[in-house]
């Protein structure tokens, strides 16, 4: 399954969120987090970051095209609260992978 994503493009998505967190949006946050976790397990979402003031969301994603990325974004429970969406195709995305230390049998 991971090999498939090496053949796909990587995108950085910048989402603008409302300055005020409505009760309606707050109720959707648990389902949004579950949805993102599922997309991360599938390898669609690589990274997911929220600004400290909660008005910007950055998502690094795999997709075939910008249309594919938009289709995935439309599946987000909080999609209708996005005020602005910017999608940029990346040449590469490097990140540090956290792993358990190697076990020594000595």
């Amino acid at each position: 399954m991971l090999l498939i994503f090496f053949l796909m493009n990587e995108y950085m998505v910048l989402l603008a969120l409302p300055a005020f967190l409505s009760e309606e949006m707050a109720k959707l946050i648990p389902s949004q987090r579950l949805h993102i976790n599922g997309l991360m397990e599938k390898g669609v979402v690589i990274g997911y970051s929220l600004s400290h003031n909660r008005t910007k969301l950055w998502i690094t994603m795999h997709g075939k095209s910008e249309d594919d990325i938009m289709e995935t974004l439309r599946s987000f429970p909080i999609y209708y609260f996005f005020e602005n969406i910017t999608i940029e195709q990346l040449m590469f995305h490097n990140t540090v992978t956290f792993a358990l230390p190697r076990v020594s049998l000595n």
Side-chain angles (χ1 to χ4, degrees):
M1 176 124 184
L2 260 178
L3 179 61
I4 293 169
F5 290 107
F6 287 117
L7 304 174
M8 298 187 111
N9 299 317
E10 290 182 330
Y11 294 88
M12 175 62 72
V13 179
L14 171 59
L15 303 168
L17 299 171
F20 174 74
L21 178 66
S22 69
E23 187 176 326
E24 183 181 1
M25 185 176 167
K27 287 179 182 178
L28 294 173
I29 290 173
S31 58
Q32 173 71 16
R33 292 185 66 143
L34 284 172
H35 187 66
I36 290 297
N37 290 343
L39 291 172
M40 290 180 110
E41 287 174 12
K42 292 177 185 174
V44 174
V45 171
I46 306 163
Y48 189 77
S49 303
L50 180 65
S51 65
H52 186 264
N53 66 5
R54 297 184 175 112
T55 61
K56 291 184 182 121
L57 188 61
W58 294 271
I59 308 170
T60 311
M61 303 174 69
H62 283 121
K64 297 175 194 166
S65 64
E66 284 189 31
D67 289 339
D68 190 33
I69 296 299
M70 275 305 300
E71 184 177 329
T72 301
L73 294 175
R74 284 188 200 99
S75 72
F76 287 14
I78 63 169
Y79 173 77
Y80 293 103
F81 292 95
F82 298 159
E83 295 184 344
N84 190 29
I85 300 171
T86 303
I87 301 171
E88 291 287 336
Q89 185 173 354
L90 301 174
M91 180 62 69
F92 61 86
H93 174 72
N94 289 341
T95 182
V96 175
T97 304
F98 294 99
L100 295 174
R102 292 185 180 184
V103 177
S104 174
L105 300 176
N106 292 340

